[in-house]
């Protein structure tokens, strides 16, 4: 409805001045249309944007209770579980997305790799990160790939991945910082200093 679209605008635009009011209107719409998974997903995405992970997880679970294989809700649930430190549950949810095989598979591979890395399962993280790169190409995928390579002590390829991340997105502060660390370990000190300076500028602008 028009009211729902206005509520989403208020939430997504930080200058609107009434993001919480927008969320309340979405919650009212969800109560009025209890069979709509879209309302629950929007609410989950709102809490996700605010990094309110328990509330985001609750909303995504509400959507999945209506549509068990809703791709946006499954990926949102994966992210929330990841941020809550529930790596095994996140991996299981990401695997559901992958097995469905239609929507958001790249995101699912990314988050499954992220959680495998967190658990120290480096070969499995490497495989999933490679699969993620076949589905999407963005800075955070290359940062994740670089961290895996760094943890596996393959410094040259880690450097290439971090460099690719900051080439894609100058605002990738983590990638620039990690690039500085790897170059320092490679004893490329002037290049390492340049990367650390870029990371500092990135953080200043962020």
């Amino acid at each position: 409805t028009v009211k729902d679209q206005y509520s989403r605008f208020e939430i997504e635009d930080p200058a609107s001045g009434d993001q919480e009011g927008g969320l309340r209107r979405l919650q009212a719409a969800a109560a009025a249309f209890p069979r709509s998974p879209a309302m629950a997903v929007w609410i989950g995405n709102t809490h996700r944007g605010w990094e309110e992970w328990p509330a985001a997880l609750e909303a995504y679970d509400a959507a999945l209770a209506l549509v068990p294989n809703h791709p946006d809700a499954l990926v949102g649930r994966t992210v929330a579980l990841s941020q809550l430190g529930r790596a095994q549950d996140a991996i299981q949810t990401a695997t559901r997305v992958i097995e469905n095989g239609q929507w958001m598979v790249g995101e699912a591979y990314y988050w499954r790799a992220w959680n495998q890395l967190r658990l120290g399962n480096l070969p499995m993280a490497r495989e999933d990160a490679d699969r993620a790169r076949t589905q999407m190409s963005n800075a955070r995928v290359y940062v994740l790939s670089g961290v895996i390579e760094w943890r596996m002590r393959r410094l040259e390829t880690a450097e290439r991945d971090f460099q690719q991340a900051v080439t894609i997105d100058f605002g990738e502060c983590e990638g620039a910082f990690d690039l500085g660390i790897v170059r320092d370990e490679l004893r490329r000190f002037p290049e390492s200093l340049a990367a650390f300076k870029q990371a500092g500028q990135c953080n200043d602008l962020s």
Side-chain angles (χ1 to χ4, degrees):
T1 67
V2 172
K3 183 181 290 187
D4 300 333
Q5 295 296 328
Y6 180 69
S7 299
R8 291 177 65 196
F9 171 77
E10 287 186 317
I11 291 168
E12 294 168 1
D13 180 11
S16 71
D18 192 20
Q19 292 178 298
E20 292 184 0
L23 175 59
R24 286 194 297 272
R25 278 183 278 278
L26 278 181
Q27 290 169 332
F33 300 96
R35 303 303 300 171
S36 171
M39 298 294 182
V41 170
W42 289 341
I43 292 169
N45 290 344
T46 299
H47 288 296
R48 174 179 170 179
W50 295 347
E51 299 185 358
E52 296 174 350
W53 303 114
L57 179 60
E58 181 180 356
Y60 292 130
D61 281 345
L64 291 167
L66 298 170
V67 181
N69 288 322
H70 194 293
D72 293 299
L74 284 172
V75 169
R77 184 176 197 271
T78 299
V79 176
L81 289 167
S82 301
Q83 298 297 338
L84 288 168
R86 294 171 56 183
Q88 291 290 1
D89 291 335
I91 288 169
Q92 290 174 6
T93 305
T95 300
R96 287 173 60 188
V97 180
I98 294 164
E99 289 175 347
N100 290 337
Q102 292 183 321
W103 305 104
M104 307 186 78
V105 174
E107 283 288 327
Y109 275 126
Y110 171 88
W111 284 103
R112 199 166 73 171
W114 191 93
N115 281 283
Q116 294 288 11
L117 172 63
R118 189 168 192 169
L119 293 172
N121 300 328
L122 298 182
M124 287 183 281
R126 179 69 271 160
E127 289 180 10
D128 279 343
D130 288 340
R131 293 186 181 109
R133 287 198 300 189
T134 68
Q135 300 284 329
M136 59 185 188
S137 180
N138 56 41
R140 63 192 176 93
V141 172
Y142 281 98
V143 171
L144 176 63
S145 181
V147 172
I148 295 167
E149 290 298 285
W150 176 72
R151 288 278 299 276
M152 298 179 85
R153 307 310 299 161
R154 299 197 290 235
L155 300 183
E156 296 285 352
T157 50
E159 180 187 23
R160 286 198 294 270
D161 282 340
F162 291 137
Q163 181 60 65
Q164 182 65 19
V166 298
T167 298
I168 293 172
D169 182 4
F170 185 81
E172 179 46 71
C173 306
E174 180 186 349
F177 185 79
D178 290 342
L179 180 60
I181 292 174
V182 169
R183 285 177 171 172
D184 181 72
E185 293 190 14
L186 289 168
R187 305 188 66 79
R188 297 178 184 167
F189 300 125
E191 293 90 344
S192 174
L193 179 60
F196 283 132
K197 285 183 177 178
Q198 180 176 342
Q201 292 170 350
C202 176
N203 283 310
D204 288 342
L205 292 171
S206 124

